Each structure stands twice: as C-alpha cells, then as structure tokens.
Amino acid sequence: IGITIFIGTSMGKRTENIEEIKNTEYKTRTELRNLIVYEFDSIKKQIPYELIIREKDSVLIYDYKNKNDSTKNMSFRYSKYNGNLFFGPDEFAISIKNEFQSDFKFDQYNLTEEMIDGMGALLFNRTYGVLGFDNGWGKHFYYLTEQNINEIKLPILYRETE
C-alpha cells in the first residue's frame, strides 16, 4: 500500500510540473502590422495583418496573419543557431548588416542559394520582424506599424536597386 501511495503522489507532482512547462514553454508577442504592396515604385495595396512572434528553443517564428484572407498568411523562421532566416523552403543569410536604419537596425538577407525567379532581398530585425522583401517579380512587400508608417519613405528596396 505504501508503494502505491508513493507512486501516486509522485505522479501527481510530475503532472503539475508538465502543466507548468506547457504554460511557460514559449514566449509569445502579438503586434499589428499593415502590409503595403508596391509594384516597382507605386503602391498597389494596403492590408491589415497581425504579427505573432513565438520563441521556441533555437528558433523565432514570425507568423503574419492576414485579417481578411487566411490564404495570404506568411510565416518566417529565424534560426538563433546560425542567424539565417527561412521563408517556406527558402533559406536566407545576412548579406549586409545594418542596411536600413530607423528605430531598429535592419539587416539585408538574400537567398543562400541563388535560383532563377527566386525571391530578392529581405530586410529583417529580430525584435521587429520582417520590414520588407522583394518577391523577385517586381513586387515589394512592407510590414509597417502605425507608428512608423509615416516615418519610413517607401519603397526602400526599389531605391536600393536603382
């Protein structure tokens, strides 16, 4: 009987610890962003997004949720191990540090393996997330906050390639 009570009480404590771990396992932060889409040098769309940043072990996940159409959601993963950024199967590495500066210093990332019709440059900061990227087909996408929407002169990436 003593052994059964011992096992039962120790299992109960283990379950409580597992529940604590589940609740504190990942840090999560949610912010609002406006996606501004440029085609070459003219604005085409402005769409509200919600950014959810989750920290898991050795990766930071940046989920951009379209508030109107979930098929337009985007997800980026940042590897704390090697500092590379992933968008779907594509891997990006820093090509220029502090390429664009505002309240944050954004690094420019490019594909680690060049490919025909692959994505172009991407501006990223770990705290802010993705500021902008070039889809490789003449469209640029910028995720701005209400605070920086009037402060940052767009399109950044188009000017960088002139």
Side-chain angles (χ1 to χ4, degrees):
I1 294 175
I3 294 173
T4 306
I5 292 171
F6 174 74
I7 292 172
T9 57
S10 66
M11 291 298 285
K13 287 182 183 176
R14 181 180 284 164
T15 303
E16 287 173 13
N17 290 340
I18 290 171
E19 289 303 316
E20 269 182 40
I21 290 170
K22 281 184 184 177
N23 293 334
T24 60
E25 189 173 1
Y26 307 120
K27 296 177 189 173
T28 302
R29 190 173 87 230
T30 303
E31 299 178 2
L32 297 177
R33 294 283 194 268
N34 287 305
L35 176 66
I36 308 215
V37 181
Y38 271 83
E39 194 164 322
F40 298 104
D41 64 347
S42 60
I43 191 167
K44 293 298 178 188
K45 294 180 190 174
Q46 193 167 347
I47 307 158
Y49 270 75
E50 180 180 64
L51 167 61
I52 301 163
I53 302 171
R54 294 178 291 145
E55 185 172 357
K56 289 185 173 184
D57 301 327
S58 63
V59 71
L60 292 167
I61 301 166
Y62 300 83
D63 287 322
Y64 292 85
K65 307 279 185 189
N66 184 306
K67 293 186 151 220
N68 302 321
D69 183 356
S70 64
T71 64
K72 303 219 188 301
N73 292 348
M74 295 186 203
S75 186
F76 298 84
R77 295 176 327 278
Y78 173 80
S79 168
K80 293 187 217 175
Y81 175 71
N82 63 9
N84 286 353
L85 196 61
F86 295 84
F87 179 58
D90 297 333
E91 183 176 3
F92 296 80
I94 291 179
S95 55
I96 304 172
K97 283 191 143 300
N98 302 324
E99 172 63 7
F100 180 78
Q101 296 185 23
S102 62
D103 290 341
F104 298 95
K105 294 178 180 178
F106 291 92
D107 298 324
Q108 181 175 313
Y109 285 73
N110 284 298
L111 286 167
T112 55
E113 292 184 31
E114 289 191 33
M115 59 181 76
I116 296 173
D117 297 332
M119 277 184 57
L122 200 149
L123 297 174
F124 174 79
N125 171 290
R126 279 180 61 164
T127 305
Y128 183 91
V130 174
L131 174 61
F133 64 92
D134 173 0
N135 75 347
W137 289 78
K139 285 191 180 178
H140 298 167
F141 300 82
Y142 300 97
Y143 289 108
L144 300 178
T145 64
E146 288 297 324
Q147 292 78 26
N148 68 9
I149 200 163
N150 295 319
E151 296 172 10
I152 296 177
K153 188 174 188 262
L154 297 176
I156 301 164
L157 295 167
Y158 183 73
R159 287 196 321 264
E160 296 290 330
T161 59
E162 287 182 328

